[in-house]
Amino acid sequence: MAGGQGMRRPGLGAALLMVVLMASTSGCMGLIAARESVESLREPAFESLNNKKITVDHSFQNFQDYAEEYTNRSTFVVSDQTTEIDVYFKVSFELSRNLPSTFWDNESRYVRATLTDGEGMVQWEQDVSEDASPLEETLLPNPSFAQGEWELDVKARGGAEGFTGSLQDNFMIIVTVTNSCVQYPLVDDCY
């Protein structure tokens, strides 16, 4: 009988080990099942478009502004999610158009704008010294946009009547970058 007391059943130890393991993981297993059932009730994700605008809007304030060039450099990032880039461009030389044309040339009043991609290639540009009606141009990937930091560089010269402020040379450039993203219901941000 002495040999019988030292013998244990191998099945009892394995069953005890299984009970301990199941008790320690049942919470996790239960959470997975609960999460899956909640996920099945949620609306499916959908593709959404996210627009980012870069705006350069400037009005000259007085006649002395003709003496100094206005400059602005804006940058934005283009990624593989970028689907479209729209450029809106409008120029109005309100003061300059009321002065004799012999007084003005392309160096006295102008708006020069260049949009350069992440590889240093010019994708859009304008150089005007007369009013420019609103122009809109859409850039599409062909087959994709150059990724990285793009730059909008603007140089302009103009003036204004400083007493009443009623005649001002001005311009506006709006670059709208459209990115596609996956939108999840009840989540504000796209991914």
Side-chain angles (χ1 to χ4, degrees), residues 37-52:
S37 63
V38 168
E39 286 290 325
S40 69
L41 297 174
R42 186 162 80 162
E43 295 290 321
F46 57 93
E47 186 174 349
S48 180
L49 297 178
N50 180 4
N51 292 328
K52 178 182 179 187

Side-chain angles (χ1 to χ4, degrees), residues 4-18:
Q5 287 179 348
M7 298 208 32
R8 296 189 182 187
R9 293 188 203 176
L12 184 61
L16 185 59
L17 181 61
M18 287 297 291

Side-chain angles (χ1 to χ4, degrees), residues 34-105:
R35 179 175 179 243
E36 290 300 320
S37 63
V38 168
E39 286 290 325
S40 69
L41 297 174
R42 186 162 80 162
E43 295 290 321
F46 57 93
E47 186 174 349
S48 180
L49 297 178
N50 180 4
N51 292 328
K52 178 182 179 187
K53 292 185 184 283
I54 295 87
T55 302
V56 180
D57 185 4
H58 183 73
S59 295
F60 294 94
Q61 300 301 310
N62 55 55
F63 198 77
Q64 289 79 18
D65 286 345
Y66 283 111
E68 191 170 325
E69 184 178 62
Y70 168 85
T71 61
N72 182 288
R73 179 181 176 270
S74 302
T75 60
F76 57 92
V77 176
V78 169
S79 71
D80 59 343
Q81 303 295 313
T82 304
T83 58
E84 185 175 293
I85 299 172
D86 294 305
V87 183
Y88 173 86
F89 180 73
K90 181 179 187 251
V91 178
S92 177
F93 288 106
E94 293 176 9
L95 176 63
S96 300
R97 96 170 75 98
N98 290 307
L99 297 173
S101 61
T102 56
F103 186 68
W104 305 112
D105 59 16

Side-chain angles (χ1 to χ4, degrees), residues 20-34:
V20 171
L21 284 174
M22 287 180 69
S24 66
T25 61
S26 66
C28 293
M29 299 305 268
L31 286 175
I32 291 173

Side-chain angles (χ1 to χ4, degrees), residues 3 7-8 23 45 51 53 92 113 117 137 142-143 149 181 185 189:
M7 298 208 32
R8 296 189 182 187
N51 292 328
K53 292 185 184 283
S92 177
D117 68 20
E137 189 170 337
N142 186 19
E149 187 174 81
C181 60
D189 297 328

